[in-house]
């Protein structure tokens, strides 16, 4: 039996933290990529990737583990499955859209790629925002 009494609050906390972080990235950080300039951009992008991974990696790991655990909690199974589906969409966007764009940008500055990164990152921004609502609903039902 999953101890949803502590898993659900932890899950909501990390999901909300990731939602807040992705909003800062979406509205502030990614749009400012274009202001770095071509001559220093690749070094900046490479440092960004290293530092952001150190921050989001552990949060995403805890979010994923708690999302899976909540699927086993009897009172919130349907909501937890919906949240897990949103998480799958976020991860798919990360793997198939954002990571390849970051890889290209780590080799060269390209304003069109930056614009595409900002545009496609809305998938994750909306996804994590929706996940926060779902995680709050899961907590309310446990």
């Amino acid at each position: 039996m999953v101890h949803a009494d502590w898993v659900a609050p932890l899950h909501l906390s990390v999901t909300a933290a990731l939602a807040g972080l992705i909003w800062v990235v979406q509205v502030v950080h990614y749009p400012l990529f274009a202001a770095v300039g071509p001559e220093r951009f690749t070094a900046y992008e490479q440092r960004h990737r290293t530092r952001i991974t150190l921050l989001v990696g552990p949060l995403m790991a805890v979010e994923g583990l708690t999302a899976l655990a909540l699927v086993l909690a009897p009172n919130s199974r349907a909501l937890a499955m919906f949240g897990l589906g949103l998480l799958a969409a976020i991860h798919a966007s990360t793997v198939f859209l954002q990571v390849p764009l970051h890889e290209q940008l780590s080799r060269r500055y390209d304003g069109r790629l930056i614009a595409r990164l900002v545009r496609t990152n809305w998938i994750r921004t909306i996804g994590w925002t929706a996940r926060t609502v779902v995680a709050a609903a899961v907590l309310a039902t446990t």
Side-chain angles (χ1 to χ4, degrees), residues 84-107:
L84 196 58
L86 288 170
L87 188 58
I90 290 166
H91 284 247
S93 179
T94 300
V95 169
F96 296 114
L97 296 172
Q98 284 75 45
V99 167
L101 287 167
H102 277 292
E103 287 175 3
Q104 292 175 58
L105 288 168
S106 70
R107 292 189 299 271

Side-chain angles (χ1 to χ4, degrees), residues 13 35 45 54 57 62 72 105 115 121 123-124 133:
S13 297
E45 165 66 15
L54 291 173
V62 172
L72 303 175
L105 288 168
N121 195 58
I123 297 166
R124 299 190 304 178
V133 172

Side-chain angles (χ1 to χ4, degrees), residues 52-62:
I52 201 76
T53 300
L54 291 173
L55 183 61
V56 300
L59 291 172
M60 287 178 76
V62 172

Side-chain angles (χ1 to χ4, degrees), residues 8 10 15 17 31-32 92 107 109 127 129:
L10 176 60
T15 299
L32 288 175
R107 292 189 299 271
Y109 176 90
T129 302

